[in-house]
Amino acid sequence: RKLHIVIGNESCDLDSAVSALTLAFIYAQRQQEHDYVPVLNIPRIDYPLKTEVGHMFSKCGIAEQSLIFRDDLPPQLSSNCSVILVDHHISKLAPHVVEILDHRPLENNPALQLLPTHCVRQIEAELGSCATLVGERYLAMDEPRSSEVAKLLHATIVLDTINFSPGAKRFCARDVTMVEQLERQLENVNADNKEQRQLLFDELVAARADISKLTLVEVLRKDMKLLQTERHTVPLAGLPMLARDFIDKNGAEQAIREFAADSNLLLILGMYVPPNKAGQVQRDIALISLTGQTQLVECVRRALVDCQDPPLELAPHDVASNFMGGCFLRQHNLQGTRKHILPVVKQALSQWEASHQCDCDDVYFFKEKPKLGLS
């Protein structure tokens, strides 16, 4: 029997977790001579931080004890073990990857060269949700059929597309078609009833924003990705609130210093979704250098302001802040998401590194003549 690991990205949001779980189930049912194992790409200890994932899994009767997490994997995979990536396409497991399903723009990353030549890649950046790709695989054949699979995929696409919000424009026709097809599979769901979708969306947003049991450090870790360049490791924290509101909380500076202790730059992406259509979705971006590298912050800020694919339409907040010497910007184009912002930041950092071959961090001053052991 051949083992196939199906693994999502390291943020382990609802799209990543559901896509991994449901695709592994679909393939396992269709190819029962093989084993397909879904893996959540976080340590088990971080599962309580993924509040919307835990909420949706509980609704479908999926207990934490039955899940497999990244730290359950062995340090080295066997050479005959295959990996399927969902909701990302850059991975340290690249030599094992046989298939990719993703909706993020294709990165220019050396790790892509490590993919086997037979790896099947389906990367469709216009889609609002990777769950749409999984749903297309699910509906392509008559078996298997599961109300839980349909429920998970349906909820994920509704959340990822911000319930097909015209302002956010985070969907395409295939996302809409998929949700309608899944609704026809579900009992007690009327495909024409937009009110039911709105109730589901509000429920998931509330679950995602429920940070009542989390510390501020855990809030920062809740939806985190690491951006790695040759000389920088930058944590990107996605918040279920505006970054500008987060920094006003007691203990915010201490939490940020603990969260990003080993980095000299932190990027926070805030998104506030008002309940029950009370107002428009709001987004903002915070750039903070924990080592006071204001020129580095300005380099990244300028790259984000100049971004045209899509234009982020950034502007300072109405009320300025000098919190930790950071830069805080409102984002007026709601179509720009982390999958658009991350490549811009990475390119800016790479250009900075190329033009600053020797940073201040690399220069050492001696108060006294060093003893080199020479006569």
Side-chain angles (χ1 to χ4, degrees), residues 163-177:
N163 196 19
F164 305 107
S165 163
K169 294 182 181 176
R170 287 181 57 178
F171 65 95
C172 69
R174 285 164 64 191
D175 296 300
V176 178
T177 299

Side-chain angles (χ1 to χ4, degrees), residues 244-264:
R244 188 66 182 77
D245 294 336
F246 179 85
I247 64 173
D248 286 338
K249 293 185 174 294
N250 291 331
E253 179 171 351
Q254 181 181 349
I256 286 173
R257 292 194 180 281
E258 181 179 341
F259 170 72
D262 298 325
S263 307
N264 60 8

Side-chain angles (χ1 to χ4, degrees), residues 226-229 232-236 265-269 285-287 296-297 299-305 307 312 314 337-353:
L226 282 178
L227 190 158
Q228 192 81 45
T229 65
H232 288 92
T233 299
V234 180
L236 287 83
L265 181 67
L266 167 67
L267 179 66
I268 302 176
L269 305 181
I285 297 176
L287 295 165
L296 178 60
V297 169
C299 172
V300 177
R301 184 200 70 83
R302 192 165 54 248
L304 290 170
V305 169
C307 173
L312 300 175
L314 299 175
T337 64
R338 180 164 56 188
K339 72 178 184 179
H340 302 109
I341 292 169
L342 191 149
V344 176
V345 175
K346 189 167 186 176
Q347 183 178 11
L349 290 173
S350 297
Q351 291 174 347
W352 169 271
E353 292 168 1

Side-chain angles (χ1 to χ4, degrees), residues 109-292:
N109 191 302
L112 290 173
Q113 305 301 319
L114 301 177
L115 293 171
T117 55
H118 61 272
C119 173
V120 178
R121 313 179 195 188
Q122 186 174 6
I123 301 175
E124 315 233 13
E126 73 276 8
L127 293 174
S129 178
C130 189
T132 297
L133 284 175
V134 178
E136 289 174 347
R137 300 289 174 94
Y138 175 61
L139 296 176
M141 298 175 64
D142 292 336
E143 295 294 337
R145 285 293 178 266
S146 162
S147 59
E148 277 71 31
V149 167
K151 192 183 300 182
L152 287 165
L153 293 173
H154 174 261
T156 301
I157 300 168
V158 168
L159 181 62
D160 253 19
T161 60
I162 313 185
N163 196 19
F164 305 107
S165 163
K169 294 182 181 176
R170 287 181 57 178
F171 65 95
C172 69
R174 285 164 64 191
D175 296 300
V176 178
T177 299
M178 179 51 57
V179 161
E180 292 172 347
Q181 289 178 313
L182 291 168
E183 285 171 344
R184 287 193 285 271
Q185 302 271 324
L186 292 168
E187 296 180 3
N188 304 319
V189 176
N190 184 344
D192 298 324
N193 193 343
K194 293 184 179 180
E195 184 178 346
Q196 285 181 285
R197 278 188 204 164
Q198 187 62 45
L199 290 172
L200 173 62
F201 176 73
D202 292 341
E203 172 191 328
L204 294 170
V205 167
R208 183 174 61 188
D210 182 10
I211 57 174
S212 57
K213 298 178 181 178
L214 305 183
T215 67
L216 292 184
V217 175
E218 289 174 332
V219 172
L220 289 167
R221 284 172 45 211
K222 176 174 163 52
D223 186 12
M224 181 194 79
K225 285 186 72 68
L226 282 178
L227 190 158
Q228 192 81 45
T229 65
E230 187 176 340
R231 290 159 58 191
H232 288 92
T233 299
V234 180
L236 287 83
L239 302 184
M241 65 177 73
L242 292 179
R244 188 66 182 77
D245 294 336
F246 179 85
I247 64 173
D248 286 338
K249 293 185 174 294
N250 291 331
E253 179 171 351
Q254 181 181 349
I256 286 173
R257 292 194 180 281
E258 181 179 341
F259 170 72
D262 298 325
S263 307
N264 60 8
L265 181 67
L266 167 67
L267 179 66
I268 302 176
L269 305 181
M271 182 174 73
Y272 172 66
V273 181
N276 303 317
K277 292 187 174 180
Q280 190 179 37
V281 175
Q282 300 176 46
R283 289 182 176 274
D284 71 350
I285 297 176
L287 295 165
I288 299 172
S289 171
L290 278 74
T291 55

Side-chain angles (χ1 to χ4, degrees), residues 15-35:
D15 192 22
S16 180
V18 166
S19 293
L21 198 73
T22 54
L23 187 67
F25 171 78
I26 294 162
Y27 281 3
Q29 293 298 308
R30 290 178 183 168
Q31 302 177 51
Q32 297 189 13
E33 70 278 11
H34 291 182
D35 293 316

Side-chain angles (χ1 to χ4, degrees), residues 319-374:
V319 179
S321 174
N322 293 320
F323 179 83
M324 297 183 72
C327 171
F328 303 90
L329 301 168
R330 279 291 296 272
Q331 180 183 323
H332 294 284
N333 181 3
L334 301 178
Q335 298 176 49
T337 64
R338 180 164 56 188
K339 72 178 184 179
H340 302 109
I341 292 169
L342 191 149
V344 176
V345 175
K346 189 167 186 176
Q347 183 178 11
L349 290 173
S350 297
Q351 291 174 347
W352 169 271
E353 292 168 1
S355 60
H356 294 73
Q357 293 298 325
C358 182
D359 282 341
C360 295
D361 293 346
D362 299 327
V363 180
Y364 299 86
F365 298 92
F366 296 94
K367 291 183 180 179
E368 59 185 36
K369 186 176 180 180
K371 299 176 181 178
L372 302 178
L374 302 176

Side-chain angles (χ1 to χ4, degrees), residues 23 85-88 99-102 122 130 133-134 137:
L23 187 67
L85 302 181
V86 293
D87 205 22
H88 67 310
E99 186 175 5
I100 294 172
L101 275 74
D102 196 11
Q122 186 174 6
C130 189
L133 284 175
V134 178
R137 300 289 174 94

